Amino acid sequence: MAQKSHLHLDEEPDYNEYVVCKYRVTTDLPMEKAAEALAAEQSTGTWTGISTLDDEIFDTLGARVVSIEGDEVVVEFPVEDFSVEVGSVPQILSVIAGNLFGLGSLKGVRLEDVSFPDSINSQFKGPKFGAQGIRELLGRPEKPLVGTIVKPKIGLDPERTAQYVYEAGSGGLTNSKDDETLVDQAFCPIDERTVAVAEALDLLKDEGHLMMHAINVSTRGDRIVELAEKVQGWGATELMVDVITCGFGAVQALAEDPSIKVPIHVHRTMHGAFTKDPYHGIAMLPLTRLVRMCGGDALHIGTLGVGKMAADAKDDGNLAACLGDDVPFKTVMPVCSGGAYPGIVADIIARSGMDVQIQAGGGVAGHPGGVKAGAMGMSQAVDAAFLGIPAEEYAKDHPELSEALAKWGKKK
Ligand code: RUB
């Protein structure tokens, strides 16, 4: 076959027929050459011409570079490049985010965004509950959800974990969760923890307060559904899964299994390894889109530039990717977490809007008055933001918020 080009720069991206990816490319090569190398490697080409590539394969399966603007390269992949029917994120990622990261001709390349045509979206089921379903389970239709991560992230035994959850709920929190490193350690066996937490949640319910706690079931792929079923049997009201370490298939397996009847809270630990560098890796946005497709009901998206994690303040495409109506799936509850405390709640909500779950670990457990007072401080901060009252003003007759503001201030 005569050498053909992957460049189709006079054409518009075709979002109905192709998987369309936006990459940020850094290279010493002319950008067209770099884009050509990327498109070739990820579809029908390799580093040299090959005798087995014919026109038909190239024309039907070759990736097409449809735009180059500055360092932004838009590549569309024919749907035929992807597995049929099964909704396979591993195979999708190998195409749109595979070998290209190692190409020597590119100094850096970052997948910034992806959009899927109906024929691929229809292979996925999306969330079973979604943001709305979680709100319904909690009887909280409008206000932001407010939660905690049990701290220290490892160390408390089941009874102390349950006590923490009970105090957090007594202080008004709607959500709590295991942290990403806690699953089934000897100091806090998952069966005993789940049962103890379920009892605490039942007690809160009897007292008129609805709350859910996500039990972390992150484990090896061949055991995760079985563990989730057990945990559910022990009384879990929500499951948590670390999507990057377990894989998107783990979220999908849980969400699509008919036996799983509770929402799935998706943590993204390890994402910083590839989201943090603005010139190389994968932005959070494609991950958000994939989690929604795979059925995550709530997903960490960072504190929108306000908390402890180095989240990009401009990365608010994730909110739209969780809540937008451009895909045929239920919405995902965006979770803002990581270094949150009462003094930054209003700033987060100003960026997120009311459809959000704000979580604080240290910002609850670090309160001078203890966990219940910490929970009250966070809840009051959310109430103030919901009512449009400045936190300092609201704190005048809410002592727990006042103490939190005195300890941590408004915004660091
Ligand atoms: C929260 C915490 C979580 C982060 C992860 O604890 O450490 O694991 O939410 O960050 P604290 P992200 O409230 O004490 O900081 O959600 O951005 O992935």
Side-chain angles (χ1 to χ4, degrees):
M1 184 190 97
Q3 198 69 32
K4 293 180 95 173
S5 171
H6 291 272
L7 302 182
H8 296 261
L9 297 173
D10 50 348
E11 296 178 28
E12 290 293 309
D14 182 348
Y15 293 97
N16 295 320
E17 299 296 333
Y18 293 85
V19 173
V20 181
C21 293
K22 244 183 232 171
Y23 298 97
R24 182 176 203 183
V25 175
T26 310
T27 180
D28 289 333
L29 291 176
M31 199 53 98
E32 294 193 352
K33 261 198 146 177
E36 183 90 50
L38 190 161
E41 178 62 34
Q42 296 311 121
S43 58
T44 53
T46 183
W47 60 274
T48 181
I50 47 175
S51 60
T52 42
L53 177 61
D54 58 31
D55 277 352
E56 192 190 337
I57 293 176
F58 186 89
D59 291 343
T60 53
L61 303 179
R64 299 153 52 87
V65 180
V66 289
S67 162
I68 299 176
E69 276 183 29
D71 62 0
E72 187 189 276
V73 174
V74 179
V75 181
E76 54 182 28
F77 296 93
V79 284
E80 290 79 6
D81 291 9
F82 299 89
S83 297
V84 283
E85 284 173 12
V86 294
S88 165
V89 177
Q91 193 271 337
I92 288 172
L93 284 175
S94 293
V95 176
I96 67 172
N99 284 358
L100 60 97
F101 297 116
L103 284 176
S105 53
L106 308 182
K107 279 167 118 177
V109 54
R110 189 173 197 249
L111 174 62
E112 297 285 352
D113 198 3
V114 57
S115 109
F116 296 97
D118 289 348
S119 59
I120 290 193
N121 276 333
S122 62
Q123 298 177 11
F124 291 85
K125 296 195 167 57
K128 261 192 215 151
F129 295 85
Q132 189 56 28
I134 292 177
R135 281 191 176 286
E136 280 163 20
L137 288 167
L138 292 169
R140 184 141 158 144
E142 290 176 340
K143 255 193 225 178
L145 305 184
V146 53
T148 187
I149 309 102
V150 175
K151 297 282 174 178
K153 62 170 79 193
I154 52 168
L156 299 188
D157 64 15
E159 287 66 38
R160 289 182 72 192
T161 304
Q163 180 62 26
Y164 185 116
V165 173
Y166 176 73
E167 287 183 32
S170 303
L173 298 190
T174 57
N175 293 76
S176 62
K177 61 179 268 303
D178 295 345
D179 220 330
E180 75 284 350
T181 58
L182 180 70
V183 181
D184 191 21
Q185 286 94 322
F187 59 80
C188 195
I190 194 166
D191 51 346
E192 292 172 31
R193 177 170 82 254
T194 307
V195 169
V197 168
E199 285 170 4
L201 296 178
D202 282 347
L203 193 53
L204 287 164
K205 193 172 171 189
D206 291 345
E207 292 167 6
H209 181 70
L210 291 177
M211 182 183 189
M212 59 173 68
H213 176 96
I215 296 284
N216 188 4
V217 295
S218 299
T219 188
R220 43 191 272 188
D222 60 336
R223 304 232 173 129
I224 196 163
V225 173
E226 186 189 334
L227 179 61
E229 282 171 344
K230 282 189 188 161
V231 157
Q232 205 178 234
W234 296 324
T237 47
E238 192 175 22
L239 304 171
M240 186 173 105
V241 59
D242 297 331
V243 62
I244 307 300
T245 57
C246 293
F248 290 88
V251 176
Q252 201 173 9
L254 293 171
E256 292 185 7
D257 196 299
S259 69
I260 303 299
K261 298 189 173 27
V262 295
I264 301 163
H265 179 109
V266 180
H267 197 290
R268 56 179 188 159
T269 190
M270 201 202 270
H271 75 93
F274 47 84
T275 57
K276 201 169 175 180
D277 184 339
Y279 297 100
H280 189 78
I282 307 177
M284 186 59 202
L285 187 51
L287 306 177
T288 303
R289 297 202 193 285
L290 290 170
V291 165
R292 187 168 175 187
M293 289 162 79
C294 288
D297 295 290
L299 169 68
H300 288 226
I301 61 159
T303 44
L304 309 174
V306 198
K308 81 174 176 187
M309 310 302 261
D312 181 358
K314 287 181 284 178
D315 211 8
D316 53 6
N318 291 301
L319 283 169
C322 284
L323 298 167
D325 59 7
D326 53 334
V327 287
F329 307 118
K330 287 184 179 164
T331 58
V332 176
M333 178 59 77
V335 179
C336 292
S337 174
Y341 54 95
I344 64 171
V345 163
D347 290 284
I348 294 174
I349 291 177
R351 291 167 198 211
S352 67
M354 297 298 163
D355 255 330
V356 68
Q357 174 172 327
I358 300 182
Q359 277 174 186
V364 165
H367 192 284
V371 172
K372 181 172 177 186
M376 291 173 78
M378 273 299 286
S379 302
Q380 291 161 2
V382 167
D383 288 351
F386 183 68
L387 295 168
I389 301 171
E392 301 89 331
E393 187 64 30
Y394 203 69
K396 285 183 183 156
D397 50 3
H398 292 88
E400 296 79 12
L401 177 57
S402 173
E403 272 186 283
L405 294 180
K407 175 164 181 179
W408 291 301
K410 240 203 124 249
K411 194 174 168 217
K412 299 213 168 70

